[in-house]
Amino acid sequence: MDRRKFTKEVTKIVSTGILLSSNQLISSCSDDDVIPDGTLSLNITEYVELIAGEVFQLNWNSKGIEEVDLAYKIDQAVNFLTFERNYPASSSKYDFTVPENINGTSMTFRISDSTSGDILAEGTPIDLLFKYLINLAETPELENVGGLLNVEEGVNNPFIVRKTGAESYLALSRVCTHQGCIIDVQNDASFSCPCHGSAYNNEGEVTQGPAEQSLQNFRVEQLDSESLEVYYS
């Protein structure tokens, strides 16, 4: 018997708007299992990213099911929000556009049988990433090595971007890893927490407690000589 599995892939769409990473594990049937009608098995085969404003493609294989309902929930919410009803199971895929204005840190997807209402498969939470576009031509703070840009407006998690080399950049969250206070940036690009005194060097590493973990490091991608994208959560 062929393995019935469910995969999720990301289709990136170039976007100049805002912008979301994830790991997940869902059960799958083994090659020796006999899959009865009315079932759908899931298997996440790779590490995927879920990015606000972009398309996340759901893929599945089903047997004996005519239509499915697709739903998601944000973070640890109790209830799921159904975003598609009576969708043909034979389509085996669905292109879901992640809302740009979504408020949360993760999403969990669920598929149900439209006829019976039975939950066929439910994933584990997928981390959300947001994308922030920087126009270097309009950002004098990052003109020279050592320059630092503080990003607060229009983001739900303030962060800094520092130019570390001719074509290299570092982005760090300004949320203290102790109890979530917003930390201050010092003249030497180090950080200090006004709440409980934690301190970090310009690489985000802890130099003074009570914090024990380094600051969250965000991915930076250089699109061309004048544009950067920061993927933050």
Side-chain angles (χ1 to χ4, degrees):
M1 177 68 69
D2 292 336
R3 175 177 298 181
R4 309 294 181 175
K5 61 184 180 179
F6 174 101
T7 59
K8 293 180 181 177
E9 300 173 353
V10 172
T11 303
K12 290 292 186 69
I13 295 180
V14 177
S15 169
T16 56
I18 12 185
L19 357 155
L20 56 122
S21 234
S22 78
N23 55 27
Q24 9 178 14
L25 178 63
I26 313 181
S27 62
S28 66
C29 295
S30 72
D31 292 334
D32 297 327
D33 287 336
V34 175
I35 303 175
D37 286 344
T39 61
L40 181 151
S41 58
L42 303 181
N43 181 36
I44 301 305
T45 59
E46 60 182 309
Y47 188 82
V48 296
E49 291 185 328
L50 188 59
I51 304 177
E54 299 190 0
V55 172
F56 182 71
Q57 189 177 78
L58 300 172
N59 300 277
W60 65 86
N61 290 321
S62 61
K63 181 179 181 181
I65 300 170
E66 294 185 0
E67 296 178 332
V68 293
D69 293 345
L70 307 174
Y72 71 81
K73 69 175 181 179
I74 301 296
D75 297 336
Q76 301 303 315
V78 175
N79 297 320
F80 278 78
L81 173 66
T82 299
F83 58 87
E84 190 68 48
R85 294 184 184 277
N86 305 115
Y87 190 78
S90 59
S91 298
S92 299
K93 66 179 181 179
Y94 184 91
D95 288 338
F96 173 74
T97 301
V98 182
E100 290 189 358
N101 60 349
I102 198 164
N103 184 19
T105 60
S106 69
M107 296 179 69
T108 303
F109 288 95
R110 187 177 76 182
I111 301 179
S112 304
D113 188 326
S114 298
T115 302
S116 67
D118 293 341
I119 297 173
L120 303 176
E122 181 177 320
T124 56
I126 305 173
D127 295 336
L128 286 170
L129 291 181
F130 299 83
K131 188 167 55 180
Y132 186 87
L133 180 65
I134 297 174
N135 186 331
L136 293 175
E138 299 176 358
T139 312
E141 296 93 331
L142 297 177
E143 183 175 345
N144 300 313
V145 174
L148 184 145
L149 174 67
N150 186 25
V151 180
E152 293 183 295
E153 298 295 327
V155 298
N156 56 12
N157 186 348
F159 59 89
I160 64 96
V161 179
R162 181 166 59 87
K163 187 169 185 177
T164 58
E167 296 183 351
S168 60
Y169 300 84
L170 175 70
L172 295 171
S173 171
R174 285 183 53 209
V175 176
C176 182
T177 58
H178 175 229
Q179 288 189 1
C181 292
I182 303 302
I183 57 179
D184 298 323
V185 184
Q186 308 303 311
N187 293 333
D188 62 353
S190 63
F191 306 88
S192 63
C193 180
C195 296
H196 306 102
S198 296
Y200 307 82
N201 62 20
N202 61 11
E203 298 291 326
E205 300 167 335
V206 177
T207 57
Q208 177 177 305
E212 297 180 352
Q213 296 181 332
S214 299
L215 296 176
Q216 187 175 3
N217 192 318
F218 298 141
R219 186 170 86 248
V220 181
E221 293 184 1
Q222 186 158 4
L223 303 180
D224 51 46
S225 60
E226 295 187 350
S227 303
L228 297 178
E229 283 181 339
V230 179
Y231 291 78
Y232 69 95
S233 58

